[in-house]
Amino acid sequence: MDLVDPFGRTIRDLRISVTDRCNFRCTYCMPEEGMKWLPRSDVLSFEEMERLARMFVERFEVDGLRLTGGEPTVRAHLPVLVRKLAELRVPAGSSSPLAGQKPDISITTNGSSFRLLAGELRDAGLDRVNISLDTLQQEKFLQMTRRDELVRVLDGIEAAKEAGFSPVKINAVIERGVNDDEILALATFGRERDVEVRFIEFMPLDASGHWMSDTVVTQDEIVAMIGAVYPIEQVPARGAAPADRWRYLDGAGMIGIIPTISRPFCGDCDRVRLTADGQFRTCLFATDEFDLLTMMRRGANDDTVAAEIQRAVGTKWAGHQINQVTFTRPVRSMSQIGG
Ligand code: SF4
């Protein structure tokens, strides 16, 4: 049975935040001192995550599971969770292209521990990896993440390629006046390292609340900057995927841009989210949530929890309202929601 929202969009992609904790302190995400972490008892166990994921996949034909955080690799024994999720099966009769198969399992990570985990995660059933990298300059990396970990992140990218992940995608959040001077360098990095760089428009989810619309470097600006040096052409039709994509005319690969602010793509959205403390969110910018964790811990059976998921999807809005006066920032910051 498909999960369809009031705008006729079928939900196919569940993002699971496996922890709110992170070993970095990115300035566009959280304050230097970090956040007030969830008590461990309030965080979904692997069994609870598996139970919920099973409902989404085997009951509602969701075929994409993305693991996020905080930083997902700081959650101990992460390959154990991936192995559990890899045992799930999209129903054979589903309209999903993955009918009868395991769901597509991906991760968004800062890459600093990926050299240690890449092989094990791959063996456990992980299919795709996105590694965050906003700068190639050591000093600026230290400023932006408050951690001197650039070398380990670059090594994490190599480890992902060596483990057979392809394409390895690089997520680069571009902030005007901070790292927009590196758009070309990041594009060149992608061409030379054979990884697909995805430039992400800065979003109002920073814990410090400093986001301003004039700090957003738009898709059009990024395309113009790169296209002036490396001729590119847009790849038609993105489907529900968040990124628009371009290919280099000289065959050196692809880039992606996620234009959340300048060209919202909510009309094709197929995503929902689960926070580390078991709150169900129908949108990254949602201002309301549905407490599945308490329901489960109070003994609710799968039918009851599934009915709550359907009820929640029935309230999903058309899209974010960032460019409108009605826009209200979510109470949670990015690290408390997961990308
Ligand atoms: S902003 Fe919300 S509705 Fe729009 S694409 Fe993102 S998750 Fe979907």
Side-chain angles (χ1 to χ4, degrees):
M1 171 177 47
D2 280 341
L3 264 179
V4 181
D5 72 24
F7 301 90
R9 299 167 296 189
T10 300
I11 303 301
R12 284 276 183 252
D13 188 331
L14 173 67
R15 309 212 160 183
I16 306 173
S17 171
V18 300
T19 180
D20 61 328
R21 297 172 187 233
C22 185
N23 54 341
F24 282 13
R25 298 287 181 275
C26 300
T27 50
Y28 59 70
C29 182
M30 65 170 84
E32 180 146 17
E33 66 277 11
M35 308 291 284
K36 189 171 178 316
W37 306 131
L38 291 166
R40 292 194 190 288
S41 57
D42 287 1
V43 174
L44 287 166
S45 67
F46 282 176
E47 289 67 30
E48 288 166 332
M49 286 180 192
E50 181 199 6
R51 180 181 168 196
L52 288 167
R54 183 179 298 282
M55 276 183 240
F56 280 97
V57 171
E58 299 187 351
R59 193 180 281 239
F60 296 126
E61 303 174 26
V62 160
D63 60 13
L65 301 174
R66 178 172 288 275
L67 305 180
T68 67
E71 168 50 37
T73 59
V74 304
R75 177 94 190 231
H77 312 300
L78 190 63
V80 172
L81 174 66
V82 172
R83 207 170 290 284
K84 285 176 184 291
L85 300 178
E87 282 157 17
L88 303 176
R89 290 292 175 269
V90 179
S94 166
S95 59
S96 157
L98 294 178
Q101 301 171 52
K102 68 182 264 304
D104 173 78
I105 305 172
S106 57
I107 194 170
T108 303
T109 170
N110 65 29
S112 61
S113 308
F114 218 64
R115 169 58 69 187
L116 305 171
L117 287 166
E120 218 185 328
L121 288 170
R122 183 78 174 159
D123 295 346
L126 188 69
D127 299 294
R128 298 183 295 121
V129 57
N130 292 52
I131 297 181
S132 304
L133 180 67
D134 305 318
T135 173
L136 295 165
Q137 300 169 12
Q138 191 131 13
E139 194 44 43
K140 197 187 292 179
F141 190 98
L142 185 55
Q143 282 165 17
M144 290 185 78
T145 68
R146 302 184 182 107
R147 296 288 183 273
D148 192 8
E149 298 272 358
L150 178 59
V151 172
R152 285 209 308 152
V153 171
L154 294 175
D155 185 48
I157 293 169
E158 290 310 311
K161 289 161 57 180
E162 290 161 21
F165 292 102
S166 178
V168 171
K169 294 184 177 174
I170 305 301
N171 286 1
V173 176
I174 302 298
E175 201 178 333
R176 195 182 304 283
V178 176
N179 61 340
D180 54 327
D181 61 337
E182 287 192 71
I183 289 170
L184 266 180
L186 286 160
T188 305
F189 175 86
R191 292 166 55 89
E192 292 171 356
R193 300 282 186 106
D194 188 25
V195 291
E196 183 173 326
V197 179
R198 302 143 56 86
F199 298 93
I200 302 175
E201 291 185 351
F202 184 30
M203 295 181 276
L205 288 168
D206 54 318
S208 52
H210 289 157
W211 182 90
M212 304 278 286
S213 57
D214 59 9
T215 57
V216 174
V217 179
T218 67
Q219 171 166 292
D220 292 352
E221 291 176 87
I222 296 169
V223 167
M225 252 182 250
I226 295 175
V229 177
Y230 304 118
I232 49 178
E233 67 178 358
Q234 186 161 13
V235 177
R238 67 150 75 165
D244 283 329
R245 300 174 78 213
W246 283 259
R247 75 164 61 82
Y248 291 110
L249 293 183
D250 64 2
M254 312 279 285
I255 59 163
I257 304 177
I258 300 183
T260 307
I261 313 297
S262 69
R263 291 171 184 272
F265 39 86
C266 304
D268 302 311
C269 181
D270 68 348
R271 289 169 293 284
V272 289
R273 291 171 166 83
L274 206 51
T275 66
D277 55 348
Q279 307 305 303
F280 181 54
R281 299 173 60 84
T282 59
C283 169
L284 180 57
F285 298 97
T287 49
D288 56 1
E289 299 178 330
F290 301 80
D291 187 352
L292 303 183
L293 179 128
T294 304
M295 268 188 117
M296 290 194 295
R297 292 187 179 176
R298 287 194 179 143
N301 63 24
D302 283 5
D303 288 344
T304 307
V305 176
E308 180 70 354
I309 291 169
Q310 283 179 292
R311 187 176 76 83
V313 169
T315 70
K316 180 168 175 149
W317 57 18
H320 71 65
Q321 294 148 20
I322 295 170
N323 303 321
Q324 297 156 42
V325 287
T326 51
F327 177 60
T328 307
R329 288 180 62 119
V331 174
R332 288 175 187 259
S333 69
M334 179 61 101
S335 69
Q336 299 166 315
I337 299 172

